[in-house]
Amino acid sequence: MGVRRVMGIETELGITSTQLDPAGRPVTPMVLSGQVVRAYAAGAAPGAALPSGAGWDYADETPLRDARGFEMARALADRSQLTDVEDPTIATSVLSNGARFYVDHAHPEYSSPEVTGPLAAVRYDRAGEEVAWGAVRTLAEEELEVRLYKNNVDGKGASYGTHENYLVPRAVPFDRLARLLIPFLVARPVIAGAGRVGIGQASERPGFQLSQRADYLEAEVGLETTLRRPIVNTRDEPHATPHLHRRLHVIVGDATMADVTTYLALGSLSAVLRVVETHPELLEGMPLAHPVAAAQAISHDPSLQVTVPLADGREMTGLDLVEAHLEAAERAAASGHEPWTGPEDSETEGVLRRWRDVLDTLRRDPSQAAGQVEWVAKHQLLERFRDRAGAGWDDPRIAAMDIQWHDLDPGRGLARKLRAAGQLERLVTPEEVAAAVTEPPPDTRAWFRGEAVRRYGAAGGVRAASWDSVVLVDDRGGLRRVRMDEPTSGSRAAVAGLLDRHTSAASLLSELASEDV
Amino acid sequence: MSQQHFEGRDRESERGGEPGPDPTPPPTAPAAQSAERDAALDSLLDEIDGVLESNATEFVHGFVQKGGE
């Protein structure tokens, strides 16, 4: 185990277009996002996606259940929180790699399939970039112009999310989880930030900061994701056997395009979660006096020198905080405690070594980490431009480059160009990413979901899917839900034989009905 | 709607998947690395200079998103 656990990343994409409607008004981002989702299903290889009209199965969604043990009254909820109501105008599609590609409010969103480690999370996050870019290319063939940006802010006050999900044992008390995670989530942008031009929610002050999201944090713990954004989100929607698992929904992270940054973001947080589970005492003693203010202070200082006060009066830098968590993970890993060992633990050593390497480099000379840490890479490019052009941080060309960094068009996006030029280290090859666009991860229920889409599709009787079920049509036209409450059920090892024996969903259901699967 | 269950019964499947990589790269001499990097950054900046010059203000002004999540 170690850093291995079920995890995934959801990314809302920024979207722009010059399209006008018949009345000459700009086409709304909701309609544009619908075009993107429809276009992917239309333009992808046969079997790569259910058509965007096919339903998402909302039966198990509980967006208003709170991990602290109560449920918010629907009437008190902001409309944007009601994500479980099916709206026929909202496009959604299930992909053969097990992902969901859909319209969330005014953005296209790619929710990666469930994977079991940070390297696979990187691969399926990059696959999401290719899915989105594939949709843009299909639209271009239809002479519909759309641009997609993998970032989290527009610089004018709006923010949209990149959410990480981690499966955590229900037995870990939520208040302990929240309390022990806050200091790490506050400091993590030092190794995991994407960088941002402008300080303040609407870029009121010129400057550069580490994190896209720090200025949008307003609370320590809470249920909301769209207003009063908390450092720890309490949504209790496990998409898994509820008495065994929680899904920790982390909403403070940045969308990242540098492989090592994404890898360290998820690898380090999964390691810290494991410490919370096995050695919580190693993380005691780091509570911050003012977590929200600390997140902003750390983000606003690319020199990494600023200190923030702890509750006990000590002062630590962001690097100190990240290192203290790394040391806790190193000590826990060295303990030989069962969850840190065993054949499933093949990624932990690599994550801890890489984390140490990047941290030491940042301490010595942050600019030397430009191939690994995204905010450093962006900062370096912008500083070079500033030197050449004599431009200040308030120059519109700097703001334009910050946006352009995240363009998913490989011919325009600055991060994609640096990656192609070998200046952002790759952990996954383009070939591995291309395969992950259509092939599901083998070791979770995403395999059954994705393979059902690929092999049978809508014509072969796949009606809908959700994270924990697939709805199939039986031989009498009835709907039957195949449940997969355990995220590691439905894996290739468990169900490949079953799928190999059947050429339609109805046929597969007849076998399921005749024996206990 | 009737229901079927897959149980999480297969321990083998939990260990499948990732091969357990060692993604730490071979070290490169820092000086050579930064000269090469400067050249790459300059080449990228040369490429985008003209575009930025003509439309940066309009482009930034037009990049307006609705909040999400």
Side-chain angles (χ1 to χ4, degrees):
Chain A
M1 290 162 80
V3 301
R4 302 283 309 272
R5 72 174 69 238
V6 174
M7 58 179 72
I9 310 176
E10 322 160 25
T11 308
E12 290 180 43
L13 299 168
I15 184 165
T16 63
S17 175
T18 54
Q19 290 180 43
L20 300 175
D21 69 14
R25 290 168 307 209
V27 173
T28 68
M30 177 85 76
V31 170
L32 294 172
S33 300
Q35 288 178 359
V36 169
V37 172
R38 174 191 57 73
Y40 180 71
L50 285 187
S52 60
W56 184 256
D57 181 10
Y58 290 90
D60 295 303
E61 308 240 329
T62 56
L64 300 181
R65 190 165 301 156
D66 194 299
R68 291 167 295 190
F70 51 87
E71 188 148 354
M72 184 186 255
R74 293 192 82 85
L76 295 179
D78 187 87
R79 215 172 69 86
S80 64
Q81 285 174 268
L82 303 182
T83 55
D84 58 340
V85 180
E86 185 144 27
D87 176 343
T89 68
I90 292 179
T92 181
S93 185
V94 186
L95 312 190
S96 65
N97 72 354
R100 182 187 185 197
F101 191 46
Y102 68 115
V103 180
D104 192 15
H105 310 304
H107 302 271
E109 174 162 336
Y110 170 85
S111 290
S112 81
E114 306 91 329
V115 295
T116 57
L119 190 66
V122 174
R123 185 190 307 157
Y124 280 93
D125 191 57
R126 296 296 162 273
E129 296 174 8
E130 300 308 325
V131 166
W133 171 237
V136 170
R137 274 179 309 176
T138 297
L139 288 173
E141 287 164 15
E142 300 173 11
E143 299 186 348
L144 293 171
E145 185 262 356
V146 166
R147 296 195 175 284
L148 295 177
Y149 297 87
K150 190 180 171 188
N151 66 357
N152 304 104
V153 292
D154 70 355
K156 299 165 189 72
S159 184
Y160 32 101
T162 295
H163 297 171
E164 304 147 48
N165 296 293
Y166 302 87
L167 201 69
V168 177
R170 175 69 60 174
V172 179
F174 188 81
D175 61 341
R176 181 208 289 172
L177 199 62
R179 181 169 50 84
L180 295 183
L181 278 184
I182 285 173
F184 187 63
L185 290 173
V186 162
R188 190 179 60 155
V190 167
I191 55 169
R196 177 188 163 203
V197 171
I199 310 291
Q201 290 195 358
S203 305
E204 294 87 345
R205 287 176 285 138
F208 182 91
Q209 60 175 313
L210 278 50
S211 157
Q212 296 254 309
R213 298 279 278 175
D215 289 348
Y216 298 87
L217 298 178
E218 293 175 320
E220 291 176 31
V221 179
L223 180 59
E224 296 87 353
T225 58
T226 53
L227 36 128
R228 295 185 300 281
R229 283 195 189 85
I231 297 170
V232 172
N233 181 241
T234 55
R235 182 184 294 182
D236 191 0
E237 190 178 32
H239 296 314
T241 312
H243 69 276
L244 295 177
H245 310 289
R246 292 180 189 285
R247 176 179 61 118
L248 180 70
H249 190 226
V250 173
I251 68 165
V252 297
D254 292 351
T256 50
M257 302 185 72
D259 285 3
V260 177
T261 306
T262 311
Y263 176 72
L264 275 185
L266 278 88
S268 67
L269 187 46
S270 187
V272 170
L273 281 169
R274 193 70 74 205
V275 179
V276 172
E277 293 162 20
T278 65
H279 296 76
E281 71 283 357
L282 295 177
L283 298 173
E284 297 287 356
M286 278 188 277
L288 295 164
H290 311 291
V292 172
Q296 286 153 10
I298 288 170
S299 183
H300 295 173
D301 176 34
S303 76
L304 303 180
Q305 299 302 307
V306 74
T307 62
V308 295
L310 273 60
D312 63 11
R314 285 181 299 154
E315 296 272 334
M316 290 175 90
T317 65
L319 275 171
D320 294 338
L321 280 164
V322 171
E323 182 154 26
H325 287 82
L326 170 58
E327 283 171 358
E330 287 169 338
R331 285 181 62 188
S335 71
H337 197 290
E338 189 271 333
W340 290 91
T341 59
E344 294 157 38
D345 189 21
S346 51
E347 280 196 85
T348 303
E349 193 189 338
V351 165
L352 295 182
R353 189 166 59 234
R354 175 67 81 160
W355 185 358
R356 171 60 69 189
D357 185 52
V358 163
L359 188 89
D360 290 349
T361 304
L362 286 170
R363 269 209 199 279
R364 210 167 45 240
D365 174 4
S367 74
Q368 294 295 323
Q372 289 75 39
V373 180
E374 186 158 338
W375 72 262
V376 176
K378 186 191 276 184
H379 187 251
Q380 197 174 65
L381 179 71
L382 298 181
E383 284 286 25
R384 188 120 188 125
F385 178 82
R386 279 168 20 88
D387 281 350
R388 283 170 39 142
W393 282 112
D394 55 351
D395 191 301
R397 291 171 296 178
I398 292 287
M401 287 172 68
D402 184 22
I403 298 167
Q404 202 61 40
W405 179 269
H406 304 273
D407 191 331
L408 287 179
D409 181 341
R412 296 174 59 99
L414 303 183
R416 292 204 63 152
K417 281 173 164 292
L418 280 180
R419 196 197 287 161
Q423 296 300 312
L424 288 176
E425 185 188 338
R426 287 183 200 269
L427 297 181
V428 291
T429 66
E431 294 73 27
E432 288 171 323
V433 174
V437 169
T438 53
E439 295 171 11
D443 50 357
T444 67
R445 61 193 177 192
W447 197 83
F448 180 76
R449 183 188 311 122
E451 285 292 311
V453 168
R454 189 179 71 80
R455 296 181 189 213
Y456 309 140
V462 179
R463 175 61 61 85
S466 72
W467 298 114
D468 37 21
S469 71
V470 175
V471 178
L472 303 175
V473 183
D474 68 19
D475 54 9
R476 290 191 293 276
L479 294 181
R480 295 196 13 213
R481 177 181 287 120
V482 178
R483 295 200 56 91
M484 295 179 288
D485 291 325
E486 279 304 303
T488 51
S489 67
S491 68
R492 181 170 63 199
V495 301
L498 174 69
L499 283 168
D500 287 346
R501 288 191 290 278
H502 300 284
T503 56
S504 74
S507 165
L508 181 145
L509 282 169
S510 67
E511 178 176 347
L512 286 185
S514 65
E515 63 176 78
D516 187 24
V517 174
Chain B
M1 189 187 296
S2 64
Q3 304 207 342
Q4 299 285 346
H5 283 256
F6 286 155
E7 300 302 332
R9 61 176 182 175
D10 191 319
R11 296 290 294 170
E12 200 60 39
S13 70
E14 294 174 31
R15 293 196 295 271
E18 294 315 304
D22 173 13
T24 307
T28 319
Q33 206 175 26
S34 51
E36 185 199 326
R37 185 161 194 94
D38 288 350
L41 297 185
D42 282 335
S43 149
L44 178 55
L45 290 173
D46 290 343
E47 195 185 322
I48 62 176
D49 246 358
V51 185
L52 285 175
E53 202 60 58
S54 60
N55 71 0
T57 305
E58 191 189 341
F59 173 64
V60 172
H61 186 74
F63 189 80
V64 178
Q65 301 293 309
K66 291 201 180 301
E69 311 171 90

